[in-house]
Every structure is written in structure tokens, then in C-alpha cells.
Amino acid sequence: QWRGQVELALSRVELRALQPRVLAGTARVMDLRQSSPPLEFGSYELAFAEGAADNTDIVGVLRDLQGPVGVAGSLRLRTTGEYEVDGTVVARPTAGAELQRLIEFLGPVDAQGARPFSLAGTL
């Protein structure tokens, strides 16, 4: 149901028991779209800073690169395998009516016209 291109430019990846312990570099999803119903989301980047130690949480900065859905936020991967994604999302004028309705379900807008979102789970 989802299509897009994934580009990885990770200069450092360390795993322990199949869990990420160190990540450095960027991961991009380009031209993300859903096929049913057809929706265009855009392109996004998750950037991990160099120099993270393997006994600390991994933090990445999430941002949109282009498209109808603007996103700004962060990803935190805990050493326990839990993750949290927090940020804001905004429908741009190029977003179709159905996509705008989906974004409205996130709740009221803030002073900048964006809607907060949060996701959490375990890898």
C-alpha cells in the first residue's frame, strides 16, 4: 500500500542483540505515497548526529524535504528498544482534501498552524 524510495547515508551503524546502539548519518524517504486510497505525502529526512555513545539514547531530527505535508520533529530510540516520535505536522496548500482531513484528526492547530503528533512503541 505504500511506495517511495529510501536513501540511506549512514556513516556509522552499531547493533547489539539486533537493537541499534549507535546511528550516525541520514535516512531519507523520497516521494512517499499511499496507493489505496491514493495519497501523496512528500519526502522526509531523519538525521542522526555523529558522536553518539552506545550507552545513550539515539536521537534523530525529523524534517520534511518537500511535498504537501510539512513535518518537524524528533525520534528517540532508547537503549531498551523503545522509541518515541514527537513533532508537528501541517498540511500545505498542495495537500488534497482527503489528506487535509486526515491531518485534522490530529487535533487543534498551534499558534503556527501546525498540529502536534506523537508515536511510541518498541522495536
Side-chain angles (χ1 to χ4, degrees), residues 12-49:
R12 187 171 173 203
V13 176
E14 292 183 24
L15 304 174
R16 185 173 300 135
L18 298 177
Q19 296 289 332
R21 292 293 183 240
V22 177
L23 292 174
T26 60
R28 291 184 178 152
V29 176
M30 307 301 290
D31 302 317
L32 181 63
R33 59 192 173 279
Q34 178 182 297
S35 24
S36 181
L39 295 172
E40 301 286 331
F41 286 86
S43 299
Y44 304 91
E45 178 182 78
L46 185 56
F48 299 98

PDB file of all heavy atoms in Angstrom, residues 12-49:
ATOM      1  N   ARG A  12      27.785   5.444  10.281  1.00  0.00           N
ATOM      2  CA  ARG A  12      28.080   4.537  11.402  1.00  0.00           C
ATOM      3  C   ARG A  12      26.786   3.887  11.877  1.00  0.00           C
ATOM      4  O   ARG A  12      25.795   4.571  12.145  1.00  0.00           O
ATOM      5  CB  ARG A  12      28.728   5.321  12.539  1.00  0.00           C
ATOM      6  CG  ARG A  12      29.225   4.446  13.660  1.00  0.00           C
ATOM      7  CD  ARG A  12      30.040   5.252  14.641  1.00  0.00           C
ATOM      8  NE  ARG A  12      30.358   4.432  15.792  1.00  0.00           N
ATOM      9  CZ  ARG A  12      30.663   4.910  16.976  1.00  0.00           C
ATOM     10  NH1 ARG A  12      30.719   6.220  17.160  1.00  0.00           N
ATOM     11  NH2 ARG A  12      30.947   4.106  17.967  1.00  0.00           N
ATOM     12  N   VAL A  13      26.815   2.573  11.969  1.00  0.00           N
ATOM     13  CA  VAL A  13      25.693   1.801  12.488  1.00  0.00           C
ATOM     14  C   VAL A  13      26.275   0.721  13.390  1.00  0.00           C
ATOM     15  O   VAL A  13      27.126  -0.047  12.961  1.00  0.00           O
ATOM     16  CB  VAL A  13      24.869   1.123  11.365  1.00  0.00           C
ATOM     17  CG1 VAL A  13      23.769   0.261  11.952  1.00  0.00           C
ATOM     18  CG2 VAL A  13      24.299   2.158  10.419  1.00  0.00           C
ATOM     19  N   GLU A  14      25.828   0.683  14.627  1.00  0.00           N
ATOM     20  CA  GLU A  14      26.244  -0.375  15.544  1.00  0.00           C
ATOM     21  C   GLU A  14      25.000  -0.974  16.174  1.00  0.00           C
ATOM     22  O   GLU A  14      24.134  -0.254  16.661  1.00  0.00           O
ATOM     23  CB  GLU A  14      27.170   0.179  16.638  1.00  0.00           C
ATOM     24  CG  GLU A  14      28.515   0.623  16.103  1.00  0.00           C
ATOM     25  CD  GLU A  14      29.459   1.096  17.199  1.00  0.00           C
ATOM     26  OE1 GLU A  14      29.291   0.686  18.367  1.00  0.00           O
ATOM     27  OE2 GLU A  14      30.368   1.879  16.866  1.00  0.00           O
ATOM     28  N   LEU A  15      24.931  -2.309  16.121  1.00  0.00           N
ATOM     29  CA  LEU A  15      23.813  -3.044  16.698  1.00  0.00           C
ATOM     30  C   LEU A  15      24.325  -3.938  17.820  1.00  0.00           C
ATOM     31  O   LEU A  15      25.445  -4.421  17.772  1.00  0.00           O
ATOM     32  CB  LEU A  15      23.142  -3.921  15.637  1.00  0.00           C
ATOM     33  CG  LEU A  15      22.640  -3.244  14.371  1.00  0.00           C
ATOM     34  CD1 LEU A  15      22.141  -4.281  13.395  1.00  0.00           C
ATOM     35  CD2 LEU A  15      21.556  -2.246  14.696  1.00  0.00           C
ATOM     36  N   ARG A  16      23.474  -4.164  18.789  1.00  0.00           N
ATOM     37  CA  ARG A  16      23.747  -5.138  19.847  1.00  0.00           C
ATOM     38  C   ARG A  16      22.452  -5.896  20.060  1.00  0.00           C
ATOM     39  O   ARG A  16      21.425  -5.274  20.348  1.00  0.00           O
ATOM     40  CB  ARG A  16      24.202  -4.457  21.137  1.00  0.00           C
ATOM     41  CG  ARG A  16      24.612  -5.477  22.188  1.00  0.00           C
ATOM     42  CD  ARG A  16      25.225  -4.852  23.425  1.00  0.00           C
ATOM     43  NE  ARG A  16      26.428  -4.091  23.059  1.00  0.00           N
ATOM     44  CZ  ARG A  16      26.691  -2.867  23.517  1.00  0.00           C
ATOM     45  NH1 ARG A  16      25.875  -2.271  24.349  1.00  0.00           N
ATOM     46  NH2 ARG A  16      27.787  -2.240  23.154  1.00  0.00           N
ATOM     47  N   ALA A  17      22.496  -7.214  19.896  1.00  0.00           N
ATOM     48  CA  ALA A  17      21.301  -8.055  20.005  1.00  0.00           C
ATOM     49  C   ALA A  17      20.208  -7.532  19.062  1.00  0.00           C
ATOM     50  O   ALA A  17      19.044  -7.439  19.439  1.00  0.00           O
ATOM     51  CB  ALA A  17      20.810  -8.131  21.445  1.00  0.00           C
ATOM     52  N   LEU A  18      20.630  -7.165  17.844  1.00  0.00           N
ATOM     53  CA  LEU A  18      19.740  -6.654  16.793  1.00  0.00           C
ATOM     54  C   LEU A  18      19.062  -5.332  17.142  1.00  0.00           C
ATOM     55  O   LEU A  18      18.131  -4.915  16.464  1.00  0.00           O
ATOM     56  CB  LEU A  18      18.694  -7.697  16.402  1.00  0.00           C
ATOM     57  CG  LEU A  18      19.257  -8.991  15.824  1.00  0.00           C
ATOM     58  CD1 LEU A  18      18.131  -9.975  15.532  1.00  0.00           C
ATOM     59  CD2 LEU A  18      20.076  -8.734  14.571  1.00  0.00           C
ATOM     60  N   GLN A  19      19.508  -4.655  18.181  1.00  0.00           N
ATOM     61  CA  GLN A  19      18.978  -3.338  18.550  1.00  0.00           C
ATOM     62  C   GLN A  19      20.020  -2.278  18.189  1.00  0.00           C
ATOM     63  O   GLN A  19      21.203  -2.463  18.458  1.00  0.00           O
ATOM     64  CB  GLN A  19      18.694  -3.257  20.059  1.00  0.00           C
ATOM     65  CG  GLN A  19      17.619  -4.188  20.540  1.00  0.00           C
ATOM     66  CD  GLN A  19      16.238  -3.754  20.077  1.00  0.00           C
ATOM     67  OE1 GLN A  19      15.976  -2.587  19.863  1.00  0.00           O
ATOM     68  NE2 GLN A  19      15.364  -4.727  19.889  1.00  0.00           N
ATOM     69  N   PRO A  20      19.594  -1.156  17.579  1.00  0.00           N
ATOM     70  CA  PRO A  20      20.558  -0.093  17.282  1.00  0.00           C
ATOM     71  C   PRO A  20      21.125   0.509  18.562  1.00  0.00           C
ATOM     72  O   PRO A  20      20.389   0.795  19.493  1.00  0.00           O
ATOM     73  CB  PRO A  20      19.745   0.936  16.503  1.00  0.00           C
ATOM     74  CG  PRO A  20      18.328   0.531  16.599  1.00  0.00           C
ATOM     75  CD  PRO A  20      18.251  -0.839  17.156  1.00  0.00           C
ATOM     76  N   ARG A  21      22.444   0.642  18.587  1.00  0.00           N
ATOM     77  CA  ARG A  21      23.120   1.282  19.721  1.00  0.00           C
ATOM     78  C   ARG A  21      23.782   2.590  19.311  1.00  0.00           C
ATOM     79  O   ARG A  21      23.927   3.492  20.114  1.00  0.00           O
ATOM     80  CB  ARG A  21      24.176   0.348  20.320  1.00  0.00           C
ATOM     81  CG  ARG A  21      23.588  -0.849  20.994  1.00  0.00           C
ATOM     82  CD  ARG A  21      22.807  -0.402  22.236  1.00  0.00           C
ATOM     83  NE  ARG A  21      22.290  -1.538  22.947  1.00  0.00           N
ATOM     84  CZ  ARG A  21      21.007  -1.757  23.182  1.00  0.00           C
ATOM     85  NH1 ARG A  21      20.117  -0.905  22.741  1.00  0.00           N
ATOM     86  NH2 ARG A  21      20.610  -2.798  23.839  1.00  0.00           N
ATOM     87  N   VAL A  22      24.193   2.677  18.044  1.00  0.00           N
ATOM     88  CA  VAL A  22      24.793   3.903  17.510  1.00  0.00           C
ATOM     89  C   VAL A  22      24.311   4.053  16.068  1.00  0.00           C
ATOM     90  O   VAL A  22      24.357   3.103  15.295  1.00  0.00           O
ATOM     91  CB  VAL A  22      26.331   3.847  17.540  1.00  0.00           C
ATOM     92  CG1 VAL A  22      26.926   5.101  16.901  1.00  0.00           C
ATOM     93  CG2 VAL A  22      26.853   3.673  18.953  1.00  0.00           C
ATOM     94  N   LEU A  23      23.835   5.244  15.737  1.00  0.00           N
ATOM     95  CA  LEU A  23      23.482   5.596  14.364  1.00  0.00           C
ATOM     96  C   LEU A  23      24.043   6.983  14.082  1.00  0.00           C
ATOM     97  O   LEU A  23      23.917   7.886  14.913  1.00  0.00           O
ATOM     98  CB  LEU A  23      21.966   5.632  14.162  1.00  0.00           C
ATOM     99  CG  LEU A  23      21.212   4.323  14.230  1.00  0.00           C
ATOM    100  CD1 LEU A  23      19.704   4.573  14.155  1.00  0.00           C
ATOM    101  CD2 LEU A  23      21.637   3.402  13.103  1.00  0.00           C
ATOM    102  N   ALA A  24      24.644   7.155  12.923  1.00  0.00           N
ATOM    103  CA  ALA A  24      25.128   8.471  12.501  1.00  0.00           C
ATOM    104  C   ALA A  24      24.899   8.587  11.008  1.00  0.00           C
ATOM    105  O   ALA A  24      25.167   7.641  10.256  1.00  0.00           O
ATOM    106  CB  ALA A  24      26.609   8.631  12.840  1.00  0.00           C
ATOM    107  N   GLY A  25      24.380   9.712  10.576  1.00  0.00           N
ATOM    108  CA  GLY A  25      24.110   9.945   9.169  1.00  0.00           C
ATOM    109  C   GLY A  25      22.653  10.270   8.929  1.00  0.00           C
ATOM    110  O   GLY A  25      21.955  10.745   9.834  1.00  0.00           O
ATOM    111  N   THR A  26      22.185   9.996   7.713  1.00  0.00           N
ATOM    112  CA  THR A  26      20.805  10.352   7.368  1.00  0.00           C
ATOM    113  C   THR A  26      20.088   9.188   6.689  1.00  0.00           C
ATOM    114  O   THR A  26      20.691   8.356   6.022  1.00  0.00           O
ATOM    115  CB  THR A  26      20.746  11.570   6.422  1.00  0.00           C
ATOM    116  OG1 THR A  26      21.460  11.253   5.226  1.00  0.00           O
ATOM    117  CG2 THR A  26      21.309  12.815   7.066  1.00  0.00           C
ATOM    118  N   ALA A  27      18.790   9.183   6.888  1.00  0.00           N
ATOM    119  CA  ALA A  27      17.886   8.274   6.181  1.00  0.00           C
ATOM    120  C   ALA A  27      16.809   9.160   5.561  1.00  0.00           C
ATOM    121  O   ALA A  27      16.254  10.028   6.232  1.00  0.00           O
ATOM    122  CB  ALA A  27      17.275   7.272   7.153  1.00  0.00           C
ATOM    123  N   ARG A  28      16.534   8.930   4.285  1.00  0.00           N
ATOM    124  CA  ARG A  28      15.519   9.716   3.587  1.00  0.00           C
ATOM    125  C   ARG A  28      14.484   8.794   2.957  1.00  0.00           C
ATOM    126  O   ARG A  28      14.825   7.722   2.458  1.00  0.00           O
ATOM    127  CB  ARG A  28      16.151  10.564   2.486  1.00  0.00           C
ATOM    128  CG  ARG A  28      17.009  11.669   3.007  1.00  0.00           C
ATOM    129  CD  ARG A  28      17.523  12.525   1.890  1.00  0.00           C
ATOM    130  NE  ARG A  28      18.312  13.605   2.446  1.00  0.00           N
ATOM    131  CZ  ARG A  28      19.303  14.195   1.811  1.00  0.00           C
ATOM    132  NH1 ARG A  28      19.615  13.823   0.580  1.00  0.00           N
ATOM    133  NH2 ARG A  28      19.969  15.167   2.383  1.00  0.00           N
ATOM    134  N   VAL A  29      13.258   9.242   2.993  1.00  0.00           N
ATOM    135  CA  VAL A  29      12.178   8.605   2.247  1.00  0.00           C
ATOM    136  C   VAL A  29      11.716   9.643   1.240  1.00  0.00           C
ATOM    137  O   VAL A  29      11.265  10.722   1.613  1.00  0.00           O
ATOM    138  CB  VAL A  29      11.014   8.171   3.170  1.00  0.00           C
ATOM    139  CG1 VAL A  29       9.870   7.600   2.348  1.00  0.00           C
ATOM    140  CG2 VAL A  29      11.494   7.173   4.203  1.00  0.00           C
ATOM    141  N   MET A  30      11.857   9.298  -0.028  1.00  0.00           N
ATOM    142  CA  MET A  30      11.546  10.233  -1.108  1.00  0.00           C
ATOM    143  C   MET A  30      10.242   9.825  -1.787  1.00  0.00           C
ATOM    144  O   MET A  30       9.995   8.649  -2.040  1.00  0.00           O
ATOM    145  CB  MET A  30      12.686  10.246  -2.139  1.00  0.00           C
ATOM    146  CG  MET A  30      14.070  10.491  -1.523  1.00  0.00           C
ATOM    147  SD  MET A  30      14.224  12.049  -0.631  1.00  0.00           S
ATOM    148  CE  MET A  30      14.160  13.184  -1.987  1.00  0.00           C
ATOM    149  N   ASP A  31       9.412  10.815  -2.061  1.00  0.00           N
ATOM    150  CA  ASP A  31       8.157  10.615  -2.796  1.00  0.00           C
ATOM    151  C   ASP A  31       7.265   9.546  -2.163  1.00  0.00           C
ATOM    152  O   ASP A  31       6.764   8.651  -2.838  1.00  0.00           O
ATOM    153  CB  ASP A  31       8.435  10.262  -4.266  1.00  0.00           C
ATOM    154  CG  ASP A  31       9.248  11.341  -4.964  1.00  0.00           C
ATOM    155  OD1 ASP A  31       8.938  12.529  -4.753  1.00  0.00           O
ATOM    156  OD2 ASP A  31      10.193  11.013  -5.696  1.00  0.00           O
ATOM    157  N   LEU A  32       7.051   9.670  -0.865  1.00  0.00           N
ATOM    158  CA  LEU A  32       6.205   8.718  -0.142  1.00  0.00           C
ATOM    159  C   LEU A  32       4.755   8.894  -0.561  1.00  0.00           C
ATOM    160  O   LEU A  32       4.229  10.003  -0.589  1.00  0.00           O
ATOM    161  CB  LEU A  32       6.338   8.948   1.369  1.00  0.00           C
ATOM    162  CG  LEU A  32       5.536   8.018   2.275  1.00  0.00           C
ATOM    163  CD1 LEU A  32       5.999   6.572   2.111  1.00  0.00           C
ATOM    164  CD2 LEU A  32       5.664   8.469   3.719  1.00  0.00           C
ATOM    165  N   ARG A  33       4.127   7.775  -0.905  1.00  0.00           N
ATOM    166  CA  ARG A  33       2.724   7.827  -1.315  1.00  0.00           C
ATOM    167  C   ARG A  33       2.029   6.531  -0.911  1.00  0.00           C
ATOM    168  O   ARG A  33       2.652   5.494  -0.777  1.00  0.00           O
ATOM    169  CB  ARG A  33       2.603   8.089  -2.803  1.00  0.00           C
ATOM    170  CG  ARG A  33       3.258   7.073  -3.672  1.00  0.00           C
ATOM    171  CD  ARG A  33       3.346   7.577  -5.123  1.00  0.00           C
ATOM    172  NE  ARG A  33       4.110   6.687  -5.958  1.00  0.00           N
ATOM    173  CZ  ARG A  33       5.439   6.653  -6.034  1.00  0.00           C
ATOM    174  NH1 ARG A  33       6.161   7.470  -5.311  1.00  0.00           N
ATOM    175  NH2 ARG A  33       6.054   5.804  -6.828  1.00  0.00           N
ATOM    176  N   GLN A  34       0.752   6.664  -0.743  1.00  0.00           N
ATOM    177  CA  GLN A  34      -0.110   5.537  -0.421  1.00  0.00           C
ATOM    178  C   GLN A  34      -0.911   5.215  -1.670  1.00  0.00           C
ATOM    179  O   GLN A  34      -1.386   6.113  -2.357  1.00  0.00           O
ATOM    180  CB  GLN A  34      -1.027   5.931   0.739  1.00  0.00           C
ATOM    181  CG  GLN A  34      -2.021   4.883   1.156  1.00  0.00           C
ATOM    182  CD  GLN A  34      -2.898   5.400   2.276  1.00  0.00           C
ATOM    183  OE1 GLN A  34      -2.422   5.705   3.354  1.00  0.00           O
ATOM    184  NE2 GLN A  34      -4.183   5.515   1.999  1.00  0.00           N
ATOM    185  N   SER A  35      -1.083   3.908  -1.974  1.00  0.00           N
ATOM    186  CA  SER A  35      -1.810   3.576  -3.199  1.00  0.00           C
ATOM    187  C   SER A  35      -3.314   3.475  -3.029  1.00  0.00           C
ATOM    188  O   SER A  35      -4.040   3.735  -3.966  1.00  0.00           O
ATOM    189  CB  SER A  35      -1.282   2.302  -3.843  1.00  0.00           C
ATOM    190  OG  SER A  35      -0.656   1.439  -3.003  1.00  0.00           O
ATOM    191  N   SER A  36      -3.796   3.113  -1.842  1.00  0.00           N
ATOM    192  CA  SER A  36      -5.246   2.974  -1.701  1.00  0.00           C
ATOM    193  C   SER A  36      -5.702   3.458  -0.332  1.00  0.00           C
ATOM    194  O   SER A  36      -5.385   2.815   0.672  1.00  0.00           O
ATOM    195  CB  SER A  36      -5.642   1.519  -1.897  1.00  0.00           C
ATOM    196  OG  SER A  36      -7.041   1.362  -1.800  1.00  0.00           O
ATOM    197  N   PRO A  37      -6.410   4.568  -0.268  1.00  0.00           N
ATOM    198  CA  PRO A  37      -6.696   5.484  -1.371  1.00  0.00           C
ATOM    199  C   PRO A  37      -5.425   6.223  -1.777  1.00  0.00           C
ATOM    200  O   PRO A  37      -4.514   6.390  -0.959  1.00  0.00           O
ATOM    201  CB  PRO A  37      -7.724   6.442  -0.778  1.00  0.00           C
ATOM    202  CG  PRO A  37      -7.429   6.467   0.675  1.00  0.00           C
ATOM    203  CD  PRO A  37      -6.940   5.081   1.010  1.00  0.00           C
ATOM    204  N   PRO A  38      -5.343   6.665  -3.019  1.00  0.00           N
ATOM    205  CA  PRO A  38      -4.119   7.332  -3.474  1.00  0.00           C
ATOM    206  C   PRO A  38      -3.901   8.678  -2.779  1.00  0.00           C
ATOM    207  O   PRO A  38      -4.739   9.570  -2.856  1.00  0.00           O
ATOM    208  CB  PRO A  38      -4.338   7.506  -4.975  1.00  0.00           C
ATOM    209  CG  PRO A  38      -5.802   7.340  -5.201  1.00  0.00           C
ATOM    210  CD  PRO A  38      -6.346   6.543  -4.058  1.00  0.00           C
ATOM    211  N   LEU A  39      -2.774   8.764  -2.064  1.00  0.00           N
ATOM    212  CA  LEU A  39      -2.400  10.000  -1.360  1.00  0.00           C
ATOM    213  C   LEU A  39      -0.906  10.231  -1.523  1.00  0.00           C
ATOM    214  O   LEU A  39      -0.111   9.307  -1.357  1.00  0.00           O
ATOM    215  CB  LEU A  39      -2.725   9.907   0.132  1.00  0.00           C
ATOM    216  CG  LEU A  39      -4.192   9.789   0.528  1.00  0.00           C
ATOM    217  CD1 LEU A  39      -4.312   9.508   2.019  1.00  0.00           C
ATOM    218  CD2 LEU A  39      -4.933  11.060   0.170  1.00  0.00           C
ATOM    219  N   GLU A  40      -0.522  11.461  -1.814  1.00  0.00           N
ATOM    220  CA  GLU A  40       0.887  11.860  -1.915  1.00  0.00           C
ATOM    221  C   GLU A  40       1.275  12.544  -0.605  1.00  0.00           C
ATOM    222  O   GLU A  40       0.607  13.482  -0.180  1.00  0.00           O
ATOM    223  CB  GLU A  40       1.083  12.821  -3.082  1.00  0.00           C
ATOM    224  CG  GLU A  40       0.685  12.263  -4.435  1.00  0.00           C
ATOM    225  CD  GLU A  40       1.675  11.245  -4.971  1.00  0.00           C
ATOM    226  OE1 GLU A  40       2.867  11.338  -4.634  1.00  0.00           O
ATOM    227  OE2 GLU A  40       1.239  10.355  -5.722  1.00  0.00           O
ATOM    228  N   PHE A  41       2.363  12.089   0.024  1.00  0.00           N
ATOM    229  CA  PHE A  41       2.789  12.672   1.289  1.00  0.00           C
ATOM    230  C   PHE A  41       4.008  13.576   1.148  1.00  0.00           C
ATOM    231  O   PHE A  41       4.131  14.551   1.855  1.00  0.00           O
ATOM    232  CB  PHE A  41       3.072  11.570   2.315  1.00  0.00           C
ATOM    233  CG  PHE A  41       1.826  10.931   2.840  1.00  0.00           C
ATOM    234  CD1 PHE A  41       1.239   9.871   2.171  1.00  0.00           C
ATOM    235  CD2 PHE A  41       1.218  11.404   3.979  1.00  0.00           C
ATOM    236  CE1 PHE A  41       0.077   9.282   2.630  1.00  0.00           C
ATOM    237  CE2 PHE A  41       0.051  10.825   4.455  1.00  0.00           C
ATOM    238  CZ  PHE A  41      -0.523   9.766   3.774  1.00  0.00           C
ATOM    239  N   GLY A  42       4.964  13.215   0.295  1.00  0.00           N
ATOM    240  CA  GLY A  42       6.151  14.036   0.112  1.00  0.00           C
ATOM    241  C   GLY A  42       7.419  13.292   0.455  1.00  0.00           C
ATOM    242  O   GLY A  42       7.457  12.066   0.463  1.00  0.00           O
ATOM    243  N   SER A  43       8.477  14.040   0.767  1.00  0.00           N
ATOM    244  CA  SER A  43       9.791  13.481   1.067  1.00  0.00           C
ATOM    245  C   SER A  43      10.248  13.947   2.437  1.00  0.00           C
ATOM    246  O   SER A  43       9.998  15.102   2.815  1.00  0.00           O
ATOM    247  CB  SER A  43      10.791  13.911  -0.004  1.00  0.00           C
ATOM    248  OG  SER A  43      10.391  13.425  -1.271  1.00  0.00           O
ATOM    249  N   TYR A  44      10.964  13.042   3.145  1.00  0.00           N
ATOM    250  CA  TYR A  44      11.318  13.307   4.548  1.00  0.00           C
ATOM    251  C   TYR A  44      12.731  12.831   4.841  1.00  0.00           C
ATOM    252  O   TYR A  44      13.245  11.916   4.185  1.00  0.00           O
ATOM    253  CB  TYR A  44      10.323  12.591   5.475  1.00  0.00           C
ATOM    254  CG  TYR A  44       8.926  13.019   5.164  1.00  0.00           C
ATOM    255  CD1 TYR A  44       8.151  12.316   4.248  1.00  0.00           C
ATOM    256  CD2 TYR A  44       8.399  14.179   5.710  1.00  0.00           C
ATOM    257  CE1 TYR A  44       6.878  12.737   3.905  1.00  0.00           C
ATOM    258  CE2 TYR A  44       7.132  14.608   5.367  1.00  0.00           C
ATOM    259  CZ  TYR A  44       6.378  13.883   4.469  1.00  0.00           C
ATOM    260  OH  TYR A  44       5.133  14.317   4.118  1.00  0.00           O
ATOM    261  N   GLU A  45      13.343  13.450   5.842  1.00  0.00           N
ATOM    262  CA  GLU A  45      14.697  13.101   6.243  1.00  0.00           C
ATOM    263  C   GLU A  45      14.763  12.925   7.760  1.00  0.00           C
ATOM    264  O   GLU A  45      14.158  13.690   8.509  1.00  0.00           O
ATOM    265  CB  GLU A  45      15.673  14.199   5.827  1.00  0.00           C
ATOM    266  CG  GLU A  45      17.109  13.925   6.257  1.00  0.00           C
ATOM    267  CD  GLU A  45      18.024  15.047   5.860  1.00  0.00           C
ATOM    268  OE1 GLU A  45      18.014  16.081   6.571  1.00  0.00           O
ATOM    269  OE2 GLU A  45      18.726  14.901   4.839  1.00  0.00           O
ATOM    270  N   LEU A  46      15.514  11.924   8.174  1.00  0.00           N
ATOM    271  CA  LEU A  46      15.810  11.680   9.583  1.00  0.00           C
ATOM    272  C   LEU A  46      17.321  11.721   9.716  1.00  0.00           C
ATOM    273  O   LEU A  46      18.026  10.913   9.092  1.00  0.00           O
ATOM    274  CB  LEU A  46      15.255  10.320  10.002  1.00  0.00           C
ATOM    275  CG  LEU A  46      15.340   9.921  11.447  1.00  0.00           C
ATOM    276  CD1 LEU A  46      14.673  10.952  12.354  1.00  0.00           C
ATOM    277  CD2 LEU A  46      14.697   8.556  11.652  1.00  0.00           C
ATOM    278  N   ALA A  47      17.845  12.697  10.458  1.00  0.00           N
ATOM    279  CA  ALA A  47      19.291  12.897  10.584  1.00  0.00           C
ATOM    280  C   ALA A  47      19.749  12.560  11.997  1.00  0.00           C
ATOM    281  O   ALA A  47      19.171  13.035  12.980  1.00  0.00           O
ATOM    282  CB  ALA A  47      19.648  14.350  10.259  1.00  0.00           C
ATOM    283  N   PHE A  48      20.790  11.735  12.067  1.00  0.00           N
ATOM    284  CA  PHE A  48      21.389  11.344  13.345  1.00  0.00           C
ATOM    285  C   PHE A  48      22.762  11.977  13.450  1.00  0.00           C
ATOM    286  O   PHE A  48      23.578  11.882  12.527  1.00  0.00           O
ATOM    287  CB  PHE A  48      21.536   9.814  13.428  1.00  0.00           C
ATOM    288  CG  PHE A  48      20.229   9.088  13.338  1.00  0.00           C
ATOM    289  CD1 PHE A  48      19.811   8.543  12.140  1.00  0.00           C
ATOM    290  CD2 PHE A  48      19.417   8.965  14.447  1.00  0.00           C
ATOM    291  CE1 PHE A  48      18.602   7.868  12.040  1.00  0.00           C
ATOM    292  CE2 PHE A  48      18.204   8.292  14.360  1.00  0.00           C
ATOM    293  CZ  PHE A  48      17.801   7.742  13.154  1.00  0.00           C
ATOM    294  N   ALA A  49      23.032  12.618  14.579  1.00  0.00           N
ATOM    295  CA  ALA A  49      24.297  13.332  14.778  1.00  0.00           C
ATOM    296  C   ALA A  49      25.449  12.352  14.959  1.00  0.00           C
ATOM    297  O   ALA A  49      25.278  11.249  15.460  1.00  0.00           O
ATOM    298  CB  ALA A  49      24.196  14.246  15.998  1.00  0.00           C
TER     299      ALA A  49
END
